[in-house]
Amino acid sequence: MLHEPVTAPAPVVVGFRQRVYDHLARLVTQRWWLVILIWVLGSIGLRIFAPRWNDVTHDGDLAYLPANMASVTGERLLEEAFPGQLSKSQVVIVLSRPNSRLRGEDYQFARLLASEFAPEAGHDLPIVEVLSRDTEVIGTKLRSEDRQSVLTVLKLENEFMATDNIRVLEEIRKIVDSHRSKLPEGLQLGITGSAAVGGDMLGAASESIKNTELTTVVMVLIILLIVYRAPLLVLIPLTAIAFSVHVATSLVAALTQLGEVPGFEWWNFKIFTTTKIFIVVILFGAGTDFCLFLIARYREELEHGLHRVEALGKALSQVGDALLASALTTIVGLSMMFFADFGKFRNSGPAIGLCLAVALTACMTLAPALLRVSGRWAFWPGRLWRRDAHFTPISDSDESSYTLSGLWDHIARAVVTRPGWILAISVAVLIPFAWEGLSVKVTYDLLNELQPSVSSVQGAKLLREHFPAGETGPVTVLAFRPDGGFDTKEGREDIGEITKDLYEMESVHHVRSLTEPLGDAPGYINVFSRGGQKKIAAMRHRRTLDTYLTQEPDLQGGVTRFDVVLNHEPFSTEAIGALDTIESHFQNLQQSGRPRWKDTQFELAGTTAAIRDLKQVNESDRLRIQILVVIAVLFVILRILRRQAICVFLIISVLFSYFVTMGVTELVFAWLHGETFHGLDWKVPIFLFVILIAVGQDYNIYLVTRVFEEQAANPPLEGLRRAVTRTGSTITSCGIIMAATFCSMITGTMRGMHELGFALSLGILLDTFVIRPILVPAFLALLARRDHAEPVVKPASA
């Protein structure tokens, strides 16, 4: 148990809210059996009638880009102009023989695999086409120039991050493994491609969810045992939180089906696989904090001599407003993600906020009901102090007699004595990290997020030894002329000009088009040579026409296609830069003044185009959400504290904490990963900001409201000292628990989750041990000195 009972901050609440808390306290203490029954029956009902979480979750980052993004409009044109080519991702099977040319038996094995995956082979995989060495026109390009490697490309109708790709990838690997006994000796086999990377990403996310759930429960259990050393006081919070997680996730899953109800067709709410990680860690972290403050106040009231029922009712009515305010900052902050353009952010933020509201309800109803039924056994085998029935403040000597309270008392005295120096030194130490955090690099390289041992990463490495890295996900360029003309001689000349321009770009390895279907270097064709005759035959082949020139009657001759294979991985920053160069070239072409290019519209599609759009929408959303979160959280704490200067400083303090955390996180992971570090995962800044700004205010609210309470009965500086001392142990325990739950995210296998888990844990610990006990009290002490001339509290003598 905590050595020093600490009062949770209880803002002065009057009128309606206080009456609500009083009624709630009477309900929980007098009808505790009804409260427990409602939670049990509600949980059972949702278990029976609500859909399972995994049955309604979605994934696929690129599927939730705004409809006006370039890659989305490009995909629409691609589907309209080439409806028979609906491939959105691909799995590439790489066969390679190191240091020697492929043999006949190697090609035979490649043919065997190709036949197993043909659409007519009887499997249930979403394969729309199989490209192999024997495929007409393109087949010759699926063998490396050194003749040591050959590819079999499985084109899928799934988007590369579609949830179904987990199953698809497992089935593909099973089929491949079933033929490994026939694999020629010395022949290497790898599986990669955009869909393979996406499937491995989703599989890693699923593993991360399982690891996070288990680790979170274990860590919270251990910390609660250390804090309370009372079995029931450990089980009560865990039980309440477990109920809230089940009820919340079931309720959110049920809400996804509301669109099927007549009259609610406009409803388009979705949940995603990785959202559950945030729900679990936030509910266990925040829920445990809520219970910790409730139990601390309940214990304090018991030590003041109140009966158990009366003490529980008074504790609940006193902490209700503080807990509501604490939860509200996080809920409001998360809800601001609704205004994001990116669909996953827009749905995930409010979903997590709703789940937190359920957790708050459980901690204010189910947890006190369980405390009520536990009676005096709740604190077994420990015992309570008994103080005077009237609230007699503990003396300085009593405070210093307990280790934790004595520590916080010394810290409080030091801060109150020299607030200016302490504030200046603390900021000076941290400001270099904050400066680093102002310009943190982020990456969208999904391949780099996976562990090096993952099969799609190994396959990509094998492919790069013999083929350009961009072969796993070419950029698709579409040229559209409303009046047509690409099927004429002049149109073919224009296609040849674009092909040549693209081929000559530094980042482009080769281009496949109507005039260069084999991806050869554009130029003069010798019709008498074997190579020239081969190229002419490929250009006239029906497959070439169907692939690179639309055959749709409404668009006849109006749309042509170019497949641009880059020298870079489709997910890489270099590939995005190459795409910018390509787009800039087309803009210059349109502005060149040449009539036939002025009316030509160019669209981009493919994985790299979608990743670039994801980058653009994320940067836009991040700025918008950061502004909205700051405004919303500031509004909430202004309504609670009603002290403008203090509220503004609290916002500045958590912003400072955010930038320090970002800077330290970047330095740590750059050191850990060395040359393979290209920046923090793109999701880290936005989720860290929303959660840290909102959750970081919880502890500030707990502290500042207690400061106001103590200053109402003591001189300002003495009240500040007492508030810091009395909240120190409890807020520290809460911060450690919250940091531990976020730390559980590191147990997964995804680098992005490692970075986010580390950053959230660091940010919470920074708030717990620096912002809340040092920076905020120092600022409050400076305010108190300015507003009240009073003697400085002297440090306690040794």
Side-chain angles (χ1 to χ4, degrees):
M1 293 174 58
L2 293 172
H3 294 295
E4 178 55 40
V6 180
T7 307
V12 179
V13 288
V14 294
F16 175 74
R17 287 206 310 275
Q18 185 62 59
R19 290 196 298 272
V20 169
Y21 295 135
D22 291 340
H23 284 303
L24 179 62
R26 284 196 294 272
L27 172 66
V28 171
T29 55
Q30 297 174 13
R31 301 281 194 277
W32 54 268
W33 56 270
L34 180 61
V35 173
I36 295 174
L37 183 63
I38 290 173
W39 275 98
V40 171
L41 292 179
S43 180
I44 294 173
L46 286 170
R47 177 71 178 177
I48 295 173
F49 297 107
R52 299 292 182 266
W53 177 275
N54 291 335
D55 293 338
V56 295
T57 51
H58 297 264
D59 253 306
D61 292 340
L62 309 185
Y64 300 97
L65 291 170
N68 62 342
M69 300 304 291
S71 64
V72 179
T73 58
E75 289 290 346
R76 283 200 299 265
L77 180 58
L78 182 63
E79 184 173 347
E80 182 181 356
F82 302 94
Q85 302 174 31
L86 299 180
S87 171
K88 296 181 180 178
S89 64
Q90 57 188 15
V91 173
V92 180
I93 301 175
V94 187
L95 295 176
S96 177
R97 186 169 288 281
N99 304 320
S100 65
R101 290 189 173 188
L102 295 170
R103 306 168 184 171
E105 58 182 338
D106 302 333
Y107 292 116
Q108 189 62 34
F109 185 76
R111 292 189 186 95
L112 172 64
L113 293 181
S115 65
E116 288 289 326
F117 293 111
E120 64 274 9
H123 52 69
D124 61 346
L125 299 173
I127 297 176
V128 295
E129 185 181 22
V130 176
L131 302 181
S132 70
R133 178 73 175 80
D134 298 323
T135 302
E136 295 179 328
V137 180
I138 191 90
T140 56
K141 291 299 180 180
L142 296 180
R143 184 181 63 184
S144 62
E145 293 181 0
D146 58 12
R147 299 197 175 191
Q148 295 181 7
S149 183
V150 65
L151 306 180
T152 300
V153 181
L154 314 180
K155 290 187 168 290
L156 308 182
E157 62 184 26
N158 291 348
E159 191 254 314
F160 87 97
M161 281 287 283
T163 307
D164 186 48
N165 282 351
I166 298 177
R167 177 192 67 85
V168 170
L169 195 57
E170 288 178 354
E171 288 297 318
I172 290 174
R173 285 169 176 161
K174 285 181 181 178
I175 293 174
V176 170
D177 289 342
S178 68
H179 293 287
R180 281 193 180 271
S181 60
K182 302 175 185 176
L183 183 70
E185 185 178 356
L187 186 66
Q188 297 178 337
L189 187 150
I191 299 177
T192 188
S194 57
V197 173
D200 281 336
M201 285 282 296
L202 294 170
S206 178
E207 182 181 351
S208 295
I209 291 173
K210 294 177 183 177
N211 293 344
T212 300
E213 289 178 344
L214 177 61
T215 307
T216 298
V217 173
V218 171
M219 295 185 77
V220 170
L221 177 64
I222 293 172
I223 293 173
L224 286 176
L225 282 172
I226 294 173
V227 170
Y228 287 128
R229 294 195 284 274
L232 285 179
L233 285 185
V234 173
L235 291 177
I236 287 172
L238 286 178
T239 301
I241 297 165
F243 266 91
S244 67
V245 170
H246 170 65
V247 170
T249 53
S250 299
L251 181 61
V252 169
L255 286 175
T256 64
Q257 307 303 300
L258 187 59
E260 299 179 5
V261 178
F264 287 88
E265 291 80 8
W266 53 271
W267 184 263
N268 188 29
F269 177 63
K270 292 180 173 62
I271 54 176
F272 304 92
T273 303
T274 51
T275 304
K276 194 170 186 181
I277 294 178
F278 296 100
I279 291 175
V280 170
V281 297
I282 290 177
L283 262 60
F284 268 91
T288 304
D289 286 359
F290 297 155
C291 291
L292 205 65
F293 275 91
L294 173 65
I295 292 171
R297 188 61 181 250
Y298 172 49
R299 186 189 58 193
E300 182 176 328
E301 298 301 336
L302 288 174
E303 291 169 350
H304 292 156
L306 296 182
H307 185 270
R308 290 190 301 274
V309 175
E310 186 181 358
L312 183 58
K314 185 175 180 180
L316 186 58
S317 64
Q318 291 294 327
V319 303
D321 218 41
L323 295 184
L324 178 62
S326 170
L328 197 59
T329 57
T330 307
I331 293 171
V332 169
L334 288 166
S335 298
M336 291 302 100
M337 297 180 75
F338 173 78
F339 297 99
D341 290 327
F342 184 42
K344 292 189 78 169
F345 289 162
R346 188 171 60 249
N347 287 276
S348 296
I352 300 170
L354 175 60
C355 291
L356 184 58
V358 173
L360 174 67
T361 305
C363 294
M364 294 184 67
T365 57
L366 182 57
L370 294 173
L371 282 171
R372 170 69 176 84
V373 74
S374 299
R376 63 187 179 87
W377 294 103
F379 296 93
W380 179 88
R383 62 185 181 85
L384 296 169
W385 302 316
R386 179 58 59 86
R387 296 188 185 178
D388 296 335
H390 58 284
F391 193 160
T392 305
I394 56 179
S395 65
D396 291 347
S397 60
D398 288 335
E399 289 178 353
S400 300
S401 64
Y402 301 102
T403 305
L404 291 178
S405 292
L407 172 63
W408 289 114
D409 181 56
H410 283 293
I411 292 174
R413 287 179 180 275
V415 171
V416 170
T417 303
R418 298 179 180 85
W421 277 105
I422 289 178
L423 185 62
I425 292 172
S426 300
V427 171
V429 169
L430 296 176
I431 205 165
F433 300 107
W435 181 261
E436 178 74 18
L438 287 171
S439 56
V440 167
K441 295 188 301 181
V442 297
T443 180
Y444 298 81
D445 190 346
L446 303 184
L447 193 65
N448 197 51
E449 187 174 352
L450 293 169
Q451 297 294 318
S453 58
V454 173
S455 63
S456 60
V457 179
Q458 292 291 322
K461 181 180 178 182
L462 183 63
L463 182 144
R464 283 195 299 267
E465 294 176 1
H466 305 280
F467 294 90
E471 193 68 68
T472 59
V475 174
T476 298
V477 176
L478 299 170
F480 169 56
R481 285 178 177 169
D483 297 331
F486 283 123
D487 53 353
T488 65
K489 179 180 178 181
E490 292 78 10
R492 286 178 176 269
E493 290 176 355
D494 291 341
I495 294 172
E497 179 183 345
I498 295 176
T499 303
K500 183 174 182 296
D501 290 345
L502 291 172
Y503 183 85
E504 291 177 348
M505 292 182 181
E506 184 178 356
S507 297
V508 174
H509 186 272
H510 64 266
V511 182
R512 295 191 287 265
S513 67
L514 186 65
T515 58
E516 294 294 343
L518 301 178
D520 295 329
Y524 172 75
I525 301 176
N526 183 354
V527 297
F528 299 105
S529 68
R530 182 179 177 183
Q533 293 174 357
K534 185 178 180 181
K535 179 179 289 190
I536 292 173
M539 291 170 58
R540 294 176 177 175
H541 199 280
R542 188 71 224 176
R543 181 184 181 88
T544 299
L545 296 176
D546 291 342
T547 301
Y548 296 107
L549 185 65
T550 181
Q551 304 299 308
E552 292 300 295
D554 294 340
L555 297 171
Q556 189 69 41
V559 181
T560 187
R561 168 179 176 170
F562 304 82
D563 288 331
V564 183
V565 177
L566 302 176
N567 292 315
H568 314 292
E569 293 285 354
F571 307 103
S572 66
T573 303
E574 293 81 4
I576 294 175
L579 203 64
D580 290 337
T581 302
I582 292 173
E583 188 174 62
S584 177
H585 172 76
F586 289 137
Q587 290 174 351
N588 293 334
L589 197 62
Q590 290 171 318
Q591 298 169 5
S592 64
R594 297 157 67 185
R596 65 179 185 272
W597 294 123
K598 183 179 180 182
D599 297 328
T600 303
Q601 175 184 337
F602 293 97
E603 300 287 354
L604 301 171
T607 300
T608 303
I611 291 293
R612 187 185 65 158
D613 284 348
L614 180 63
K615 176 177 181 290
Q616 292 176 354
V617 75
N618 178 58
E619 290 174 351
S620 173
D621 281 346
R622 186 169 62 194
L623 179 61
R624 182 187 306 116
I625 291 173
Q626 286 176 343
I627 294 172
L628 289 174
V629 167
V630 168
I631 293 173
V633 172
L634 178 60
F635 175 79
V636 171
I637 62 177
L638 277 171
R639 293 287 295 174
I640 297 168
L641 303 179
R642 301 182 184 277
R643 300 278 291 273
Q644 294 181 3
I646 293 176
C647 291
V648 170
F649 181 81
L650 294 183
I651 289 292
I652 292 174
S653 70
V654 292
L655 285 173
F656 183 64
S657 173
Y658 164 76
F659 287 115
V660 171
T661 301
M662 285 293 294
V664 173
T665 301
E666 182 183 49
L667 291 173
V668 168
F669 281 91
W671 172 72
L672 283 176
H673 297 294
E675 294 181 355
T676 64
F677 181 80
H678 304 299
L680 296 177
D681 183 72
W682 62 278
K683 296 182 289 295
V684 172
I686 192 166
F687 275 108
L688 177 65
F689 187 91
V690 172
I691 295 174
L692 198 57
I693 298 302
V695 174
Q697 291 299 353
D698 291 359
Y699 305 142
N700 285 337
I701 290 172
Y702 290 144
L703 171 65
V704 174
T705 51
R706 183 58 185 259
V707 169
F708 293 167
E709 181 180 335
E710 293 292 342
Q711 287 180 338
N714 300 279
L717 290 179
E718 175 63 15
L720 174 60
R721 182 192 66 82
R722 287 175 175 268
V724 174
T725 300
R726 293 182 174 181
T727 60
S729 297
T730 300
I731 293 181
T732 300
S733 299
C734 289
I736 291 174
I737 289 173
M738 182 69 81
T741 60
F742 286 133
C743 191
S744 66
M745 298 170 70
I746 299 176
T747 59
T749 58
M750 300 168 63
R751 182 184 291 188
M753 283 299 171
H754 292 175
E755 295 169 353
L756 185 56
F758 174 86
L760 286 168
S761 300
L762 175 64
I764 293 297
L765 292 176
L766 191 63
D767 276 338
T768 302
F769 291 102
V770 179
I771 304 300
R772 191 270 312 164
I774 297 176
L775 298 190
V776 172
F779 177 77
L780 294 177
L782 291 175
L783 282 184
R785 285 187 170 190
R786 185 196 67 180
D787 297 336
H788 304 275
E790 64 172 62
V792 176
V793 178
K794 295 181 179 180
S797 57

